[in-house]
Amino acid sequence: METVVTGRNCEVRFGQELPTVFIAERINPTGRKSLAEELKLGKLDIVERDAIEQTNAGAHIIDVNVGAVGVDEVDMLPKAVKKVMEVTDRPICIDSANHKALKAALNVCPYKVLINSVNGEEESLEYMLPIVKESSSAVICLTMDNKGIPNDPGERLEIAKRIVKRAESLGIKREDLVFDPLVMGAATDGNAGRICLDSMRLIVKEFGVSTTGGFSNISFGMPDREFLNVNFIIMGIMAGLCAPITDVLMKSLAPAVKAADFLAGRDAYGMNYISMYRKK
Ligand code: THG
């Protein structure tokens, strides 16, 4: 099973048997005051610069999130998506919980995007899944519902089952469902990493689907976040992680992931691993 998304001149594929794909996370005002201030003023200079920088750093897909207090998402999300499409040919991941903003953004994008996200809550299933179907998009599915985020991996799997059932009843294909077993901060819950990866293994075993997750969430409040983030992504790869949402500007990310893909059997004959050394 392979998930496909498209950009202006390219197609990006990911799945259990394919090399890891990076969803670049930096266009997100959460925890980034300068970007939040700019978006409030209706400006897109940082968005433009981030899109270019992340593309040059090896981003496969660009996540676009403009949600912040004082920002009109319905107005700004399509503008940001347009700006990103102007400066990069990469596929886009539209990151918004606001279905009106999501629709507006889809209207300006002629390619197959990744919608971020739907979850197990009735309201989310009701609003988001028809948009996914109508726009022929792929969608990130969060294993949480109206009761919150379960600590038990078996319960996260149950939520995943409900989402698969609902999506398939609308005719959405399984390869267009990308599961996010939810990465929480390890600083506040020392078991967060293990619970997330155990959930991922269960979901992959049950459905064989593609997976993602906000892998930078693991290190909130900790020193040397890059070290923790990269190590957690490496652990994720052995548990079936296909396309982490991550900071592609981290220098140690790409070489570590090339090694992990090879060791996990996702890089036949180590061709990608070897070609990295040829370039050096
Ligand atoms: N799952 C899905 N989507 C998501 C998340 C998820 N989208 C948002 C988020 N979580 C993933 N993206 C980020 C983006 C930035 C950071 C963490 C996750 C981050 N930013 C720095 C901070 O807040 O301290 C600031 C960076 C800077 O200033 O340069 O850590 O879980 N589906």
Side-chain angles (χ1 to χ4, degrees):
M1 201 177 318
E2 292 181 6
T3 305
V4 186
V5 288
T6 62
R8 192 190 321 133
N9 266 319
C10 70
E11 183 184 275
V12 170
R13 291 176 175 270
F14 53 95
Q16 290 302 324
E17 257 117 71
L18 294 174
T20 302
V21 152
F22 298 132
I23 303 175
E25 74 184 10
R26 293 186 58 81
I27 302 178
N28 187 332
T30 316
R32 259 184 106 191
K33 247 193 174 152
S34 54
L35 179 55
E37 287 307 316
E38 201 193 67
L39 291 168
K40 267 185 237 169
L41 299 172
K43 285 171 55 184
L44 292 166
D45 295 343
I46 299 178
V47 168
E48 175 173 0
R49 199 181 49 199
D50 278 348
I52 295 169
E53 257 177 29
Q54 293 185 118
T55 302
N56 293 339
H60 299 98
I61 298 169
I62 313 278
D63 188 89
V64 181
N65 182 321
V66 298
V69 182
V71 177
D72 177 2
E73 262 195 273
V74 182
D75 178 48
M76 286 309 283
L77 192 60
K79 286 181 181 161
V81 165
K82 263 191 177 167
K83 176 59 77 184
V84 172
M85 287 192 301
E86 249 173 65
V87 297
T88 175
D89 63 355
R90 302 280 95 200
I92 289 174
C93 176
I94 306 179
D95 192 348
S96 176
N98 179 331
H99 60 271
K100 285 190 185 135
L102 174 62
K103 274 190 179 160
L106 284 166
N107 276 335
V108 302
C109 184
Y111 310 111
K112 182 175 176 191
V113 306
L114 184 57
I115 292 173
N116 189 3
S117 56
V118 66
N119 64 58
E121 281 182 75
E122 187 51 38
E123 192 181 289
S124 174
L125 295 167
E126 220 166 85
Y127 279 114
M128 290 295 183
L129 290 180
I131 300 177
V132 173
K133 175 63 183 170
E134 272 161 40
S135 61
S136 308
S137 306
V139 64
I140 295 177
C141 309
L142 309 181
T143 57
M144 56 183 278
D145 62 14
N146 55 314
K147 285 183 249 155
I149 302 171
N151 276 323
D152 174 34
E155 287 177 39
R156 291 193 196 183
L157 173 64
E158 288 308 313
I159 297 173
K161 285 182 183 169
R162 287 203 324 258
I163 298 174
V164 168
K165 212 168 168 187
R166 280 292 280 275
E168 290 192 336
S169 78
L170 292 177
I172 299 168
K173 293 200 197 89
R174 209 173 272 195
E175 63 255 35
D176 288 328
L177 303 178
V178 180
F179 275 89
D180 178 347
L182 293 168
V183 179
M184 311 302 289
T188 44
D189 176 3
N191 292 316
R194 192 177 40 75
I195 293 169
C196 168
L197 298 190
D198 283 351
S199 306
M200 185 173 282
R201 276 186 211 94
L202 289 180
I203 292 166
V204 168
K205 190 167 174 229
E206 180 83 19
F207 297 114
V209 285
S210 300
T211 60
T212 185
F215 272 65
S216 304
N217 303 345
I218 198 72
S219 63
F220 279 129
M222 294 298 284
D224 200 349
R225 293 188 60 187
E226 172 165 343
F227 190 65
L228 290 172
N229 291 351
V230 171
N231 275 286
F232 192 46
I233 287 170
I234 299 317
M235 294 167 129
I237 287 171
M238 250 339 187
L241 173 62
C242 307
I245 302 166
T246 184
D247 182 358
V248 293
L249 301 187
M250 298 185 300
K251 289 270 183 291
S252 62
L253 177 68
V257 167
K258 288 269 185 338
D261 277 348
F262 173 50
L263 298 173
R266 288 201 204 168
D267 173 16
Y269 309 107
M271 296 309 275
N272 293 334
Y273 181 76
I274 292 166
S275 75
M276 171 173 72
Y277 282 91
R278 286 229 184 85
K279 275 184 208 139
K280 276 187 194 165

